[in-house]
Amino acid sequence: MLMIENITKTFNPGTINSKVALSGLSLTVNDGDFITIIGANGAGKSTLFNAIRGKFITDSGRIVLDGEDITLKPDYIRAKNIGMLFQDPMLGTAPGMTIEENLALAAGRGGWLGRITKADREFFKERLSLLDMDLENRMDHPVGLLSGGQRQALTLMMATINKPKLLLLDEHTAALDPATAEKVLELTKTIVSENNITCLMVTHNMQSALDLGNRTIMMDGGNIIFDTRGEERSRLTVEDFLIKFREISGRKLDSDRMLLSD
Amino acid sequence: MNIAPYISLFQTSLELGLISSLTVLALFLSYSMLNVCDLSTDGCFTLGAAVGAVVALMGHPFLSIPAAMLAGVISGFVTGFLQTKMGIDSLLSGIIVNTGLYSINIAVMGNSSLLNLNKTETIFTLYKDAAEGTALEGKTDLIIILLAVAAVIIILSLFLSTRLGLAIRATGNNPDMVRSSSINPVFTTLTGLCIANAFTALSGCMLAEMQKSVNIDIGTGMVTMALASLLIGRAFMGKGRIPVRAVGAVLGAIIFRIVYALALRCDMPAYMLKLISSVIVIIAISGPYLKSRVPDIKRRLEAGKVRS
């Protein structure tokens, strides 16, 4: 369970560029939740993710993951329990190293001086075959030679190779072509549901925000302005969402991008 | 034609090339793997030479090797600490450490800028005496150096395929990915620089003991020479597997020394060595860049022709 209590973050405080990115946000995520997050640009979606994974330490508030207070923990310590995928498929893998070596680092088995064993290789092969991209037969190829979609699928595999307590997906299919995006999203759904991974996903596609997962939150001005799940959520349409946004925030949502984007 | 001088010239080049190849292997780790251009290399090479010489002068020829390497580890740690924990740019921290080491090296040598090891027992003299009258006479220096280089290649190749080694390579490739694998890139950078500088210091120590003297300038220009050798090696061996690339780095160092020796034979003055190494580095690094610009330049030239 992830508990976020009243976190705030202001970038460039005291300067002309000062920006309140998170304004006292609280959120409780239950085990097994798959929450989709929507909101206009600058609403604080990515900032929320960066606060959770420890890219920066919040100005105030508390973040507790599975009973452990991680508010002040550095990012690489939190990474043990938190997996993350970005929009840019290049960010999650080391291009100059082979698929096998990337997976070995993500799996993190054995001590510092341990090497990749035959058993590891078999395990990686088995996992890669789930992707159905023929990567299992190219384990000694450098990752830099893979396409964006293949790299993102591999990053997904790496982020979930040890079941994380929390998986953060920040528009992870937005930079891929529609067919590949569809495939990576299908893979995400399969892996998340089969392993029962608690997951937060930012998307700009309102339809998939409603179709996927069990709960949807809408963000604006660094806070959550709408939180829906269960029966209420199942009755909502994209239209309802747009109206809701206008009611609460008093502005019109940049709906073209949200309705049209994949 | 008398080929005897050429054989001895070849053997000397081989010995010098193999000794400097230890520094090339250090840069292979820091520059090619960790993506840090360690400009403290010159000072660290001299530090290894100075510490090794002083310990040998105290009457401990064997201890001189680990002592020099330990000094290198400390130097590498300081360079790494400055760039990972003190917010100093990696190039700048190398330059700062290099400058500081100049004073430290003179202090190590006992307020002197020159140490003579002519009558001192070193690892080389120990075996030279033992091999007298046998078939190995006159070859012991080469054998000792070869053993050291082989050991470093094997250790480096094995190390780079361990989890820590993979993490060091990934740190040079994509530090964000290292963090998401719950590894602290500060740790991997520090470890990599400590090991690399141990090899650099070993290189300096062996040169000092072989040529039986140390002066404060012994390491000057080493970083450029080692980079030149590294890039020559890459041109010959490509970007294959790690052990192949490490051997390539050593070959690069030997080729560099042989070409230099031949140039000296053709009456090139000795002081040209450093200019040559600079030019090789320039060509090796900017060559691929300039090559990629050729189509654009061609296009512009053609467009100019049409207009006029």
Side-chain angles (χ1 to χ4, degrees):
Chain A
M1 190 168 82
L2 173 73
M3 247 168 36
I4 300 175
E5 284 173 10
N6 212 12
I7 54 168
T8 62
K9 179 72 188 176
T10 305
F11 290 118
N12 309 311
T15 71
I16 194 158
N17 292 322
S18 165
K19 168 150 175 58
V20 178
L22 293 172
S23 53
L25 183 148
S26 297
L27 173 70
T28 300
V29 181
N30 295 314
D31 285 340
D33 263 357
F34 187 152
I35 304 181
T36 54
I37 304 174
I38 53 172
N41 289 334
K45 308 180 294 292
S46 297
T47 312
L48 171 63
F49 276 13
N50 286 336
I52 297 172
R53 77 182 171 104
K55 168 107 184 182
F56 55 78
I57 288 174
T58 50
D59 297 336
S60 64
R62 230 158 62 96
I63 304 173
V64 180
L65 179 62
D66 221 17
E68 185 193 0
D69 190 331
I70 57 169
T71 315
L72 303 174
K73 292 257 160 73
D75 53 359
Y76 66 92
I77 298 279
R78 300 189 203 191
K80 219 162 260 165
N81 296 317
I82 302 177
M84 169 125 186
L85 266 75
F86 302 88
Q87 182 172 343
D88 182 351
M90 306 299 147
L91 289 180
T93 44
M97 298 168 67
T98 64
I99 295 177
E100 176 181 288
E101 289 167 340
N102 271 275
L103 280 166
L105 272 179
R109 295 172 164 195
W112 279 119
L113 296 180
R115 319 155 135 284
I116 303 173
T117 63
K118 214 169 187 177
D120 291 338
R121 249 176 226 127
E122 285 307 311
F123 172 64
F124 298 156
K125 220 170 206 163
E126 189 192 308
R127 294 304 296 263
L128 284 174
S129 63
L130 299 177
L131 298 181
D132 199 20
M133 287 177 167
D134 198 37
L135 295 185
E136 65 273 21
N137 297 319
R138 298 161 62 188
M139 297 223 299
D140 54 351
H141 286 218
V143 169
L145 297 179
L146 304 184
S147 70
Q150 289 170 329
R151 275 181 84 164
Q152 200 66 315
L154 178 63
T155 311
L156 178 66
M157 194 98 273
M158 286 163 62
T160 54
I161 198 158
N162 301 315
K163 183 187 167 184
K165 286 179 180 164
L166 184 66
L167 180 64
L168 305 174
L169 307 169
D170 192 355
E171 292 196 70
H172 70 303
T173 61
L176 309 175
D177 68 80
T180 316
E182 183 62 34
K183 171 138 203 214
V184 171
L185 200 59
E186 279 308 315
L187 278 171
T188 311
K189 278 197 269 187
T190 316
I191 290 175
V192 166
S193 68
E194 273 176 8
N195 299 290
N196 194 27
I197 296 171
T198 311
C199 180
L200 301 182
M201 178 170 120
V202 169
T203 174
H204 264 116
N205 183 329
M206 302 198 82
Q207 194 57 56
S208 64
L210 284 174
D211 293 345
L212 283 168
N214 63 337
R215 183 174 165 194
T216 298
I217 59 180
M218 190 188 275
M219 286 186 67
D220 192 52
N223 218 323
I224 295 168
I225 56 169
F226 184 53
D227 183 348
T228 176
R229 66 183 108 182
E231 206 169 321
E232 177 197 38
R233 179 174 180 262
S234 62
R235 282 200 307 269
L236 281 173
T237 63
V238 171
E239 253 331 280
D240 297 332
F241 254 114
L242 294 174
I243 293 165
K244 206 100 203 165
F245 182 85
R246 204 170 340 174
E247 270 173 20
I248 302 168
S249 73
R251 288 185 291 117
K252 215 175 147 226
L253 196 60
D254 172 17
S255 60
D256 289 353
R257 183 177 171 214
M258 297 216 158
L259 288 167
L260 296 174
S261 65
D262 296 286
Chain B
M1 187 176 131
N2 183 10
I3 59 159
Y6 283 96
I7 289 179
S8 103
L9 180 127
F10 179 75
Q11 188 176 336
T12 314
S13 306
L14 196 59
E15 286 167 1
L16 287 174
L18 283 169
I19 286 184
S20 65
S21 77
L22 295 169
T23 306
V24 182
L25 288 168
L27 287 200
F28 175 65
L29 180 60
S30 61
Y31 182 75
S32 304
M33 297 287 121
L34 205 51
N35 203 16
V36 171
C37 188
D38 184 358
L39 293 184
S40 71
T41 299
D42 290 7
C44 182
F45 187 89
T46 312
L47 178 70
V51 170
V54 166
V55 176
L57 278 169
M58 286 172 179
H60 302 288
F62 283 110
L63 196 61
S64 66
I65 302 280
M69 290 178 80
L70 181 66
V73 168
I74 296 168
S75 163
F77 183 84
V78 174
T79 312
F81 188 79
L82 292 183
Q83 58 188 271
T84 51
K85 285 288 181 190
M86 304 293 279
I88 300 175
D89 174 80
S90 78
L91 287 176
L92 191 56
S93 52
I95 294 172
I96 293 170
V97 169
N98 196 45
T99 307
L101 279 175
Y102 185 87
S103 308
I104 291 177
N105 290 336
I106 291 186
V108 168
M109 294 197 282
N111 290 331
S112 152
S113 58
L114 184 73
L115 279 186
N116 199 317
L117 302 177
N118 264 335
K119 296 194 177 67
T120 311
E121 196 89 277
T122 68
I123 43 161
F124 293 108
T125 59
L126 277 174
Y127 292 98
K128 198 166 274 166
D129 299 343
E132 215 159 310
T134 68
L136 293 176
E137 192 177 344
K139 304 266 188 313
T140 46
D141 287 7
L142 189 59
I143 292 168
I144 293 169
I145 301 165
L146 262 175
L147 286 177
V149 172
V152 168
I153 291 182
I154 292 169
I155 290 170
L156 202 55
S157 302
L158 287 176
F159 174 69
L160 284 172
S161 62
T162 62
R163 192 160 94 86
L164 180 55
L166 289 181
I168 286 177
R169 289 169 56 199
T171 307
N173 224 234
N174 181 356
D176 283 329
M177 178 264 188
V178 174
R179 270 186 218 102
S180 17
S181 309
S182 16
I183 297 167
N184 187 356
V186 169
F187 170 64
T188 52
T189 305
L190 281 173
T191 311
L193 284 177
C194 286
I195 295 172
N197 280 280
F199 293 158
T200 304
L202 171 65
S203 182
C205 173
M206 294 194 86
L207 182 63
E209 298 198 1
M210 196 183 78
Q211 67 181 27
K212 295 183 180 158
S213 74
V214 192
N215 72 65
I216 191 69
D217 288 327
I218 195 172
T220 307
M222 267 318 283
V223 69
T224 315
M225 266 190 280
L227 266 182
S229 308
L230 188 66
L231 298 169
I232 292 172
R234 189 186 290 175
F236 275 91
M237 297 301 245
K239 289 197 114 193
R241 295 166 56 86
I242 301 276
V244 178
R245 291 171 67 183
V247 171
V250 175
L251 281 183
I254 296 169
I255 292 168
F256 182 85
R257 274 289 166 179
I258 289 175
V259 170
Y260 171 65
L262 290 176
L264 283 183
R265 280 252 134 197
C266 302
D267 290 334
M268 185 193 75
Y271 59 75
M272 294 302 283
L273 172 68
K274 291 187 169 121
L275 180 62
I276 291 176
S277 51
S278 298
V279 171
I280 291 176
V281 172
I282 293 172
I283 293 172
I285 295 180
S286 66
Y289 166 77
L290 291 177
K291 205 169 154 194
S292 74
R293 302 279 305 141
V294 167
D296 293 11
I297 296 169
K298 253 192 194 155
R299 181 91 210 277
R300 288 208 181 100
L301 285 177
E302 275 161 22
K305 260 183 228 149
V306 172
R307 232 176 272 138
S308 61

